[in-house]
Amino acid sequence: MSLLARGLSAVLLLSLSLLFPAHAQSAYFFPATPLDPDPAVPTPEQFLGYPVGSRYTRHDELVAYFEELARVSPRVKVERIGRTYEGRPLLLATITDPDNHANLESLRQAHNTLVDPAAPESVASGAPVVVWLAYSVHGAETSSAEAALLTAWFLAADRSEATRHWLREAVVLMDPAQNPDGRDRAANWHNAWGSNPPSPDPADREHVEPFPGGRFNHYLTDLNRDWLALAQADSVPKVEHFHRWYPNVQIDFHEMGKDSTYYFEPSPKSMESPLLPKSSYEANKVLARYHAQALDAIGSLYYSGENYDNFSPIYGSTYPDFHGGVGATVEQASSRGRVQETVNGPLEFRFTIRNHLNVGLATVRGAVEQKAFLFRLQKDFFRSALEQAGRYPVRDWVFGDRNDPTLSRRLLSLLLKHRIEVRELSRAVEVDGKRFEPGSAWVVPARQPAFRLAHAIFEFTPPVKGDVFYSGTSYAVAPAYGLSYAASRSALPAGARVQDVPAASGGVDGVASYAYALDLRDYGAYRLLGALLAQDIRLRAAFAPLALPSAQGGAEPRRGVVLVPVAGQPLAPAALHARIDELARSLGVRVQALASGKSEVGIDLGSDSVKPVRKPGIALVMGQGVSAPEIGAAWHAFDTALGYPTSKIKPAQLGELPLERYTTIVLASGNYAGLPDGVVAALKRWIAAGGSLVAYNSGARWAIDKGLAGAKLREAPPPRAERLDFGSQREVFALRRVSGNILSADVDLSHPLAFGLQDRRLLVNKETGLVFEASSNPYLTVVRIDDQPRVNGYLSEENLKRVSGSAFVQVVPVEKGNVVVFADDPAHRKYWHGTERLLLNAALFSNHLNPIRQRGE
C-alpha cells in the first residue's frame, strides 16, 4: 500500500470510528467481558462499514480485514498458505505477543519437542501453548467466519492484562475460512435474498439455499471428512501447517439445525476410537468446563456428550486427537439467514456469532490455564504410542506396485504429508503372497511415534460395538487405493528414511513405427488416455489377452492394454510421437513403442478383440435433490483422474436436451421422484439406441423402479413386531443402519469395467442399505461381495446376512445400450481409487460392456 493510500485509509478509519464506536459493538458481542481496545486497530464494523451480523461477509472482505489487522497490529501475522480450486486465498493468522513473534521459530521448535518421545520434558517448558481455531469448513455454516472476525479483533486490540497474559503464554492460529468457495456460495445467496427488514419465515428464499449449497467446496467435497485422505487441494496446506505446530487444542466451529441450541464435546463413549488412550477423551471434559462457563455467562442454552464423532482422524476435530492434542467440535444452531423462526423463538444471525465468539475466547483462556496439563497430555500420548506399537503384532507395513507407480507415489506422498516415517525397501520381499521390489515399494515401520495414524491408514479399524455412530465406522485409506500392500509380523529390509517423493519417470520408450501401448494398470495412464481422446487421437483396447514385447521376456498376456496405432491418425507419425511423449513425460507415465502388430503371446494387435475406443460424451446429472458429494466425486474423477471434460446438466434437462451427444450419463444418489414421464421416456430411447446409464444407490433404485434397468433389489426384511422402549429409538436405529464399512468382494478381471485392476480380491465401500441380487446372467455381475465377507467397521448381523453374496456392480443390457448399477458411490470421497477405476472404465468402454449376443437372440 502506498503512503498516500495508507494516509487516506487512516483518515477513513478515524471517521468510521466516530460513526461506529467500538463500545456499540462490544455491548452485544462482549456482554460479560470488559474491554480496553486499542483505537488503532479497527473493529470489523469500522473496516467493513456494516455491523457484524447485519449481512454476510464475502471472503475477499474477510481476507482484507485479516490483512489489515496484520498491518496495524504487531500481534498479528497473516499468511496466504494456498488457493482454492476457484482461486480464493487460504489464510492462516498467527496471533501472539509481539515478543513471541520476534522469537517464533525457536518457540515452535521448543514446542514441537512435545511430539518427540525421546526429548526431555523440560525443553518445552518455556514454549507457548498452541491453540488452533478453525472456522467455516462447511461454507453454509456461516456464523463461524463472522465470529473469526470478532475473535481476531479482540485478540489484536484488547489491552487488558488478561488478554496480554494469554498472548504471552499462547500462540493462537486462526483459519478463518477453511472452505472459501463454499462460503462465498452461501454468503452471496443469503445477501442476494435478504430483505430489509429480514424475514423470519423458514420458507423464505434467504433460508432455503439451492443445490449444491455452500457446505461443500468446488468439487462438492465435505472438507471435514478430508483430513486423513487429503483428496482435495484445499486440505493440503492446513495439514502442512498443522504439522508445523502440533496444536495442543483445536476447535472446529460448526452449525446444526435451527431448532437446537449449542453443542460442545465430549462426545459419547461409543464414538471414541479404540486406538486412542482414554486420557485423550478425558481432556475434552477439562476444556468443556470453560465452554460451559462462557455460555453460562451470556445465558445461552447448550448441551454436551450426546452426539457427534470422535472416532476417526478424517475430521478436523479428531485429527488433533491422533497427535496428542485436544480436538473438539462445537455446533451452533443455525439461523441460515439474518433471523429465522425456531421452536426456541426467533434465532438471530448475530446471536449465533456471539456464541461462537465467546466459546472461541474461552478456549484460549482454558488452554492457557491448562498449559501444563496439555503439555503432559501430548508428551504422554507419543510415549504411549511407542509402547502400543511395541505390543502390536505387525512390525512393518509395505506398499507399492511397479505396475502402478502413480498410485504408489500418491500413497507415499500422503504418508509424508502426515509426517509418517517411511523407509526405502532395500531388497525384494514377498509378504502375504505379494511381491514388493526396491524403487517401487516402501516400508512403514509400526514402531514410530505416528503409529496410531499409520494404523489408521493401513489397518482395519479395531472392533467396535454397535451403538449410536455419527458417521462411518471404517476409514482406512490404503484399502481404498486398490494398491498392493501388506502387513509383516517380522522386520522388513528397510533402508534410509524417505524425505521426498521420487520424481516420476515418464515418456515413450523408443519411437513406434506401428503403435504405442498404454498400461492401464498405472493409474496415471487414464489421464494420458483422456488427453488423447480429447484431441481426437484414435485408440483401440484389447478385450482378450494380449502380451506385448518385454525387455525382461516372458510377458504375461492381459486385457485392457490400450493401443495408439500410428496409421490413420490426425497427426503425422513424428507429431504423434512428440505429442504422446510430451504428455507421458508430464504425467510420469511410461508408454511402450511397438514396431510390429504381432503379439508375443495371445491375440495380435489387429484382432477383432482389439476394439476401437469411442470418444466419450459424459453428462453428470446435478441439481436439486441430487447428492452433491456423490456427483461431485464423479466430477472430480473425470476432471482429475481422466482429465476429460464433462457436461453438468440438471435432472429436468434430461427430457429437453438431445441426449444422443452423450455416450454416458451418470446418475448419483438423489430424489428423482418429481421427474416427469417424459424424462423416463427420453432415457429409455437413449439407452436402447446405445447409451450407457451409470447409476448408484437411490439413483439406481429409481432407474429400476422406472423400468430403465432390470436389476433386482434384495429388500430388507420388515422390522420385527416387537415391543421396544421408547427411549431406545436412536440406539435401535443406529444398530440397523449401514454406517460405512469396507467389505471384501470378488471382481471379474476379464470384464471391461475391471481393466487396470490386477487382483480379483477387491475391497469396496458400503455406505448404504441398497443391495442387489446377483444377475441371472452369470456374465453380468462384475463385482460380487463375498459370501462371508471381511468387514471393517460395524455392520449388524442382519445387514451382514443381507449384503453377503450380493452384487456390488452389475451391467444390465438394454437393446444396444446398457445400465451400469453400483450399490454405492464408486468414487467415495475422492480417494476410493480401486472402485473409481470401474467408473472411469464405464465411461471409456461403455459400448463394449454387454455380453456377446448368441445366435438367434
Side-chain angles (χ1 to χ4, degrees):
M1 184 182 289
S2 68
L3 290 176
L4 176 60
R6 288 187 179 183
L8 292 173
S9 176
V11 172
L12 177 61
L13 289 176
L14 176 62
S15 48
L16 282 174
S17 67
L18 298 175
L19 292 172
F20 304 112
H23 65 79
Q25 178 173 298
S26 64
Y28 180 78
F29 287 110
F30 303 92
T33 306
L35 296 177
D36 179 20
D38 182 349
V41 181
T43 68
E45 183 174 339
Q46 289 170 329
F47 183 82
L48 297 170
Y50 55 84
V52 172
S54 65
R55 61 175 283 117
Y56 286 74
T57 304
R58 298 191 317 267
H59 186 66
D60 63 299
E61 296 172 317
L62 183 149
V63 170
Y65 181 68
F66 267 81
E67 291 185 338
E68 178 65 12
L69 289 182
R71 189 182 71 82
V72 301
S73 171
R75 298 176 179 179
V76 183
K77 303 294 181 187
V78 172
E79 298 172 80
R80 294 193 177 199
I81 61 173
R83 285 192 174 272
T84 69
Y85 287 106
E86 295 177 14
R88 294 178 177 86
L90 296 164
L91 296 190
L92 187 67
T94 304
I95 306 178
T96 190
D97 185 87
D99 288 343
N100 289 345
H101 272 300
N103 198 28
L104 199 62
E105 181 56 24
S106 62
L107 291 174
R108 185 187 71 83
Q109 291 178 10
H111 178 272
N112 284 359
T113 61
L114 292 170
V115 305
D116 180 0
E121 291 185 42
S122 58
V123 178
S125 59
V129 67
V130 178
V131 181
W132 185 299
L133 303 178
Y135 302 88
S136 200
V137 69
H138 295 146
E141 298 174 5
T142 42
S143 60
S144 68
E146 308 287 343
L149 294 168
L150 290 167
T151 305
W153 169 75
F154 177 88
L155 295 174
D158 186 52
R159 296 179 293 190
S160 70
E161 177 53 33
T163 301
R164 291 165 63 191
H165 172 67
W166 292 356
L167 296 180
R168 286 194 295 270
E169 294 296 321
V171 169
V172 180
L173 304 170
M174 294 184 66
D175 185 341
Q178 300 175 73
N179 180 9
D181 294 346
R183 177 176 167 76
D184 263 3
R185 200 181 303 133
N188 290 334
W189 175 265
H190 292 307
N191 286 336
W193 292 102
S195 304
N196 289 300
S199 171
D201 180 2
D204 183 76
R205 291 198 73 178
E206 182 186 4
H207 308 303
V208 186
E209 197 184 355
F211 178 92
R215 179 181 178 90
F216 310 109
N217 79 336
H218 173 77
Y219 279 116
L220 311 184
T221 305
D222 187 333
L223 293 177
N224 195 38
R225 273 81 172 159
D226 196 43
W227 279 76
L228 186 63
L230 299 182
Q232 296 293 279
D234 304 358
S235 303
V236 174
K238 67 183 178 185
V239 169
E240 178 184 346
H241 284 267
F242 174 96
H243 285 281
R244 292 192 70 244
W245 280 103
Y246 293 101
N248 300 104
V249 176
Q250 182 164 316
I251 306 296
D252 214 8
F253 292 86
H254 289 264
E255 289 182 349
M256 52 186 170
K258 67 182 179 67
D259 293 324
S260 193
T261 58
Y262 198 96
Y263 171 85
F264 52 82
E265 295 190 11
S267 51
K269 287 187 179 299
S270 67
M271 299 184 190
E272 297 176 358
S273 170
L275 280 173
L276 301 186
K278 291 297 179 185
S279 57
S280 292
Y281 295 113
E282 291 300 313
N284 281 112
K285 298 177 181 178
V286 176
L287 193 62
R289 294 201 300 267
Y290 293 90
H291 294 162
Q293 290 168 8
L295 295 172
D296 285 342
I298 59 177
S300 292
L301 296 173
Y302 59 85
Y303 71 103
S304 179
E306 293 184 34
N307 51 8
Y308 295 107
D309 207 335
N310 243 329
F311 184 75
S312 162
I314 66 174
Y315 300 105
S317 62
T318 312
Y319 190 81
D321 295 336
F322 278 73
H323 295 85
V326 180
T329 288
V330 296
E331 298 266 355
Q332 164 63 50
S334 178
S335 63
R336 289 293 197 276
R338 284 175 295 162
V339 62
Q340 189 171 176
E341 296 168 4
T342 77
V343 296
N344 300 312
L347 179 61
E348 292 187 339
F349 186 35
R350 64 175 189 158
F351 176 81
T352 69
I353 297 166
R354 182 173 73 161
N355 284 344
H356 271 333
L357 163 67
N358 283 274
V359 166
L361 294 176
T363 299
V364 178
R365 178 171 73 90
V368 169
E369 293 183 6
Q370 298 296 328
K371 173 181 170 180
F373 165 75
L374 293 169
F375 277 20
R376 285 197 306 274
L377 178 77
Q378 194 161 47
K379 195 72 175 178
D380 290 345
F381 177 90
F382 284 99
R383 286 174 173 167
S384 69
L386 283 181
E387 295 168 1
Q388 188 176 357
R391 296 189 302 268
Y392 194 65
V394 170
R395 183 68 180 267
D396 290 322
W397 294 284
V398 59
F399 72 94
D401 185 343
R402 64 184 179 87
N403 294 319
D404 193 355
T406 299
L407 280 188
S408 298
R409 288 195 305 270
R410 185 173 298 184
L411 184 53
L412 173 61
S413 175
L414 177 69
L415 295 167
L416 296 181
K417 286 183 175 72
H418 287 302
R419 305 302 192 269
I420 292 171
E421 180 184 340
V422 183
R423 294 192 171 270
E424 294 176 353
L425 180 67
S426 58
R427 61 177 171 80
V429 295
E430 189 170 299
V431 184
D432 291 343
K434 303 171 186 175
R435 183 173 175 81
F436 301 91
E437 298 176 357
S440 61
W442 295 270
V443 175
V444 180
R447 297 176 183 180
Q448 61 169 293
F451 162 74
R452 290 171 174 130
L453 198 68
H455 184 292
I457 287 175
F458 284 102
E459 294 283 358
F460 276 15
T461 307
V464 293
K465 296 179 180 178
D467 210 326
V468 186
F469 296 111
Y470 172 61
S471 186
T473 55
S474 63
Y475 48 81
V477 174
Y481 270 48
L483 190 68
S484 186
Y485 76 99
S488 173
R489 289 176 173 265
S490 57
L492 297 175
R497 183 165 182 171
V498 179
Q499 302 295 336
D500 298 293
V501 179
S505 173
V508 178
D509 298 326
V511 178
S513 57
Y514 192 85
Y516 297 92
L518 284 64
D519 189 345
L520 288 185
R521 293 178 298 179
D522 183 355
Y523 187 79
Y526 281 95
R527 193 167 179 92
L528 175 55
L529 191 158
L532 294 174
L533 285 170
Q535 296 173 31
D536 295 320
I537 304 298
R538 296 183 179 90
L539 308 178
R540 300 174 71 86
F543 287 77
L546 176 151
L548 299 174
S550 170
Q552 292 79 28
E556 191 172 319
R558 64 184 187 276
R559 294 173 172 85
V561 176
V562 175
L563 301 168
V564 187
V566 172
Q569 297 290 358
L571 297 178
L576 179 66
H577 175 270
R579 187 64 185 125
I580 294 175
D581 189 56
E582 176 191 11
L583 287 168
R585 288 179 185 279
S586 68
L587 297 169
V589 174
R590 303 306 309 176
V591 176
Q592 193 169 350
L594 304 177
S596 171
K598 185 65 179 172
S599 174
E600 191 172 286
V601 182
I603 63 172
D604 295 326
L605 274 60
S607 166
D608 287 343
S609 293
V610 180
K611 302 177 182 181
V613 178
R614 71 175 175 182
K615 185 175 181 178
I618 305 167
L620 308 177
V621 180
M622 294 185 174
Q624 204 64 32
V626 177
S627 168
E630 286 193 6
I631 200 63
W635 179 18
H636 182 261
F638 290 121
D639 263 23
T640 63
L642 190 61
Y644 195 83
T646 56
S647 299
K648 294 166 284 294
I649 63 176
K650 294 180 180 179
Q653 288 180 282
L654 291 170
E656 302 167 357
L657 296 173
L659 299 183
E660 60 269 15
R661 70 173 292 156
Y662 307 117
T663 60
T664 299
I665 295 175
V666 180
L667 202 64
S669 294
N671 181 1
Y672 302 100
L675 289 180
D677 292 341
V679 168
V680 176
L683 283 172
K684 283 184 176 178
R685 290 192 298 270
W686 172 77
I687 296 168
S692 180
L693 178 68
V694 178
Y696 29 95
N697 192 8
S698 55
R701 178 183 286 275
W702 178 83
I704 293 167
D705 289 345
K706 292 298 181 181
L708 297 174
K712 185 179 179 182
L713 294 173
R714 185 182 293 179
E715 299 291 357
R720 294 185 298 274
E722 58 182 317
R723 181 172 177 266
L724 298 171
D725 289 347
F726 185 83
S728 68
Q729 293 175 73
R730 290 179 62 192
E731 289 80 2
V732 171
F733 171 76
L735 289 168
R736 289 177 176 171
R737 76 185 180 100
V738 179
S739 299
N741 297 270
I742 298 174
L743 300 178
S744 62
D746 176 81
V747 58
D748 174 8
L749 293 178
S750 71
H751 197 281
L753 286 180
F755 285 174
L757 293 175
Q758 301 178 71
D759 194 335
R760 286 196 72 108
R761 296 167 296 177
L762 181 67
L763 295 170
V764 301
N765 180 65
K766 189 74 187 115
E767 194 79 11
T768 72
L770 189 78
V771 179
F772 298 120
E773 294 283 6
S775 174
S776 58
N777 186 322
Y779 301 109
L780 298 181
T781 297
V782 183
V783 179
R784 182 181 181 272
I785 293 174
D786 293 340
D787 289 329
Q788 294 181 316
R790 290 181 67 202
V791 178
N792 177 209
Y794 172 75
L795 191 65
S796 69
E797 285 298 321
E798 185 177 279
N799 281 323
L800 179 58
K801 289 178 183 176
R802 197 163 67 88
V803 77
S804 297
S806 66
F808 184 79
V809 183
Q810 192 174 132
V811 176
V812 182
V814 181
E815 298 188 31
K816 295 180 180 180
N818 53 64
V819 180
V820 182
V821 290
F822 288 84
D824 289 83
D825 176 9
H828 181 64
R829 290 184 182 160
K830 286 84 172 174
Y831 71 93
W832 271 85
H833 303 308
T835 48
E836 184 181 67
R837 288 179 188 265
L838 302 169
L839 175 64
L840 301 177
N841 289 338
L844 290 170
F845 310 118
S846 59
N847 58 326
H848 298 302
L849 303 180
N850 295 358
I852 299 170
R853 286 182 177 271
Q854 302 300 313
R855 186 172 298 173
E857 279 192 66

